[in-house]
Structure formats: C-alpha cells, structure tokens
Amino acid sequence: WALAAEADYARGAKDAARASMDKALQARIRLAANNPEEAWALAGTWRLRATLRAALGDADVAAESLTQARLLAETLCTRAAGAEGPARFMIRTLLDQADLALRAGDLNRAREAADTARSRAEALAETHQTAPWLTETASCWDRLGEIARAANAPAQMQDAFARAVELRRMARDLEPENPLLMRGIASALVKLGEAALDAGAPQSARAAFHESASLRLHLADTAPSDRRAAYALAVSLERLGLAALACGDRNAARGAWEEELLLGERLFSDDDS
C-alpha cells in the first residue's frame, strides 16, 4: 500500500495517494499491536505518511504524523538504551519535524525540534567521536542556522553555520579521503559565506567561498565526468564572485565568473534553456 501511494502520487492521483497511505498505516498499526518488533516499522510509516502528505500540501496532517512518529520513537529509544540506530532514527525524525515547521513558518516549533535533535546528537558525538555522529550534529546546527535566517537573526545564523562547518571539519579529519565529507564541508562553507555576506562581512564571506571553491575544484578534478561536482563548483564560483565584488575587487569577481561560464558551457548544451 505504501508503494501504491507513491505510484498514485507520481501519476497525480492525490486522493488515491492519501487513501493508499492510510491503508498502509492501518496495516502497520495492526502488525505492531500484535508484534512489538514491528513498532519501528510503524514509526517509519508515520514518517513516510508525513512526507507524502507534506508533498500533497496537507501541512497539518503531515505535522500530526511527525508528532506520532516522534512520540513512538522516543518510547522505543528509551527501551533501546542508547543504541545508535534508534538514536539516529529519532534525530532524523526531529529534523523532519523542524523542516516541516520551518516551511510552515512555525519557527518556535522548528527551533524546539532542531535544538532537541542537536542536544541528542552532540551527546552521541561526544561519546562515540566518529565522523557519522559529527556530521549528524552538523546537520542539526545547519537547521538551526536556517531557522535563524528565517527569524532574521544574523548573529545566531552565523554562529550556527560556523559550528556546522567546524563539526564537518572534525569529521573530515577523521576520514581525510572521504569525498562525502569533503562535499559536506564545501556546502556548509557556502552557507557560512552567504550568512557573512548578508551580515556585511564580505572578507569573511570571500574566505569561506574561496575555501568551498578549492574543495569543489579538487572534487571536480578527481571526477572530471561528474556533472554534479562541476555544477557545485560553479555555484561556489558564482558566490566567490559576489563576495569579491562586495570587497571591491572587480578583477577577481570577473575571473570567478569567467571560470563559472566555462563550466556552464561544459555542463549545458546550446539549446538547453
């Protein structure tokens, strides 16, 4: 029924998608009532229902579904006594809740969910000191930065994005050759640079964008046929040009944008609007 709901959504049958997803949920509830080991699958179905209903524009139903997933996950995490898999499920449920609330403009609910996730992730990062938990914690700070952006709180936004960058650096130091971690730092640096640019600190923004572009250049050189890597580099170069222009360095801005244009010519065909 869950797969049917996805298929219904893909073909634009919204009411059928809602009905199919509810049948999947009802089946999971019956399974969990008779088999305690099915409780995690039920929590996952609540999350899946939230994703579907949010995509269909049913924000209130999606929020209630995430509340149900969170309540169930909290109970299951208590029983799991600190196991990493349940903890990760809980944190990502909280981040889903924060994202949905942020899109709906409910900044207080978004902040509460993201900060609860951050608190849980930080405790596990301190205990385990592994790259995955450091990046989970960085993701929580990233959400707090986005919430601060929406609340027009530039100081909090810069602090949150700076913390996210630092955590991703720590994770990369543990696994220096991991390209996923390098991509994570590069993306976090773009957000940090944008926050600095918005706050009127173009030199700080320029430094962040320059480091992001350097990382993405390395990734693009390592995988020359990867269009995603080339596009990401173009994004960093575009921001670097804006920061250089804000610093009064028109030549550096032009150089960054010329490099971006060269990437654009490689990425897109002449008839690609």
Side-chain angles (χ1 to χ4, degrees):
W1 280 116
L3 289 170
E6 292 184 35
D8 290 332
Y9 172 75
R11 67 187 178 87
K14 296 184 178 182
D15 289 339
R18 294 184 181 99
S20 295
M21 193 68 245
D22 285 345
K23 287 180 180 179
L25 181 62
Q26 291 160 14
R28 286 293 185 194
I29 291 171
R30 290 196 297 272
L31 281 166
N34 298 317
N35 304 279
E37 68 274 10
E38 293 288 336
W40 279 111
L42 173 58
T45 302
W46 277 115
R47 273 179 59 180
L48 183 61
R49 182 175 186 258
T51 300
L52 176 71
R53 297 303 288 265
L56 292 170
D58 305 330
D60 291 342
V61 177
E64 176 58 25
S65 295
L66 282 174
T67 298
Q68 294 295 333
R70 175 176 174 173
L71 290 171
L72 182 53
E74 284 176 341
T75 300
L76 295 172
C77 279
T78 301
R79 294 176 187 169
E84 290 192 57
R88 186 170 288 109
F89 182 97
M90 182 70 213
I91 288 166
R92 292 184 181 177
T93 300
L94 287 163
L95 291 180
D96 284 351
Q97 195 173 41
D99 289 341
L100 182 64
L102 180 59
R103 289 196 297 271
D106 189 345
L107 300 186
N108 289 331
R109 178 178 290 186
R111 190 178 297 107
E112 184 276 330
D115 200 48
T116 302
R118 189 266 317 156
S119 177
R120 287 173 174 264
E122 280 185 348
L124 287 157
E126 290 175 6
T127 299
H128 298 286
Q129 288 294 315
T130 60
W133 279 117
L134 289 166
T135 55
E136 288 284 355
T137 309
S139 295
C140 297
W141 278 110
D142 177 79
R143 297 311 199 286
L144 288 167
E146 292 295 349
I147 294 162
R149 189 202 300 273
N152 194 26
Q156 292 92 324
M157 176 176 62
Q158 283 186 275
D159 178 66
F161 287 144
R163 289 174 185 266
V165 168
E166 184 58 30
L167 286 160
R168 291 188 184 279
R169 286 194 205 282
M170 293 167 63
R172 198 271 306 273
D173 289 344
L174 294 173
E175 299 179 21
E177 302 304 318
N178 188 327
L180 289 175
L181 299 180
M182 197 177 296
R183 279 201 290 270
I185 297 174
S187 296
L189 283 163
V190 167
K191 290 195 174 187
L192 178 60
E194 288 174 341
L197 204 56
D198 290 344
Q203 292 290 356
S204 297
R206 185 175 183 177
F209 294 140
H210 184 273
E211 185 180 355
S212 176
S214 297
L215 289 168
R216 286 176 166 174
L217 177 61
H218 173 73
L219 289 166
D221 287 344
T222 304
S225 61
D226 187 348
R227 289 171 59 88
R228 182 179 61 176
Y231 184 81
L233 174 57
V235 169
S236 291
L237 289 168
E238 189 262 348
R239 303 296 199 282
L240 179 58
L242 290 174
L245 190 63
C247 291
D249 192 343
R250 300 173 66 87
N251 289 332
R254 182 185 180 92
W257 291 330
E258 285 178 345
E259 292 294 327
E260 182 191 5
L261 282 168
L262 290 173
L263 286 167
E265 291 172 359
R266 197 178 87 197
L267 284 167
F268 304 112
S269 61
D270 291 339
D271 60 349
D272 188 336
S273 60

